[in-house]
């Protein structure tokens, strides 16, 4: 099972991604963050395999989130959404 964290501030996009990923037997959305601070907290708490990261989010932007997360959890793969 591949654990995925979605970091996206637009609710319609994050919900759409959850639906698409939810239809795959080997993928599981373990959390959704609507801002940068929450994305960092959830990454540290849930330790997903993959993060789908939006670049423009309130608070800490996606680029800064990636730097923070990679310093602490370098094994997490991050896919950037724009």
């Amino acid at each position: 099972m591949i654990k995925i964290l979605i970091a996206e501030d637009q609710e319609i996009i994050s919900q759409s991604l959850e639906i698409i990923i939810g239809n795959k037997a080997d993928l599981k959305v373990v959390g959704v963050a609507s801002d940068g601070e929450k994305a960092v907290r959830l990454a540290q708490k849930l330790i997903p395999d993959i993060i789908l990261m939006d670049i423009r989010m309130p608070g800490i932007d996606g680029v800064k989130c990636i730097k923070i997360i990679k310093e602490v959890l370098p094994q997490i793969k991050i896919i950037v959404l724009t």
Side-chain angles (χ1 to χ4, degrees):
M1 179 73 57
I2 297 171
K3 301 182 297 182
I4 300 173
L5 171 64
I6 298 171
E8 169 63 59
D9 64 325
Q10 293 184 21
E11 190 174 343
I12 187 98
I13 294 173
S14 62
Q15 287 177 348
S16 298
L17 289 169
E18 279 189 278
I19 291 167
I20 292 166
I21 293 166
N23 288 326
K24 306 296 180 188
D26 55 343
L27 303 177
K28 181 178 182 180
V29 175
V30 293
V32 178
S34 58
D35 61 59
E37 290 88 356
K38 188 172 182 184
V40 171
R41 282 195 315 274
L42 286 178
Q44 292 172 340
K45 178 181 176 185
L46 303 172
I47 309 178
D49 300 302
I50 299 171
I51 299 174
L52 300 178
M53 179 74 70
D54 186 17
I55 292 297
R56 295 183 185 166
M57 289 189 294
I60 303 172
D61 68 24
V63 175
K64 180 86 172 171
C65 284
I66 292 169
K67 289 178 184 177
I68 293 168
I69 291 167
K70 283 296 195 175
E71 285 177 4
V72 180
L73 301 161
Q75 75 277 15
I76 295 177
K77 305 299 183 215
I78 300 176
I79 299 172
V80 175
L81 304 173
T82 59

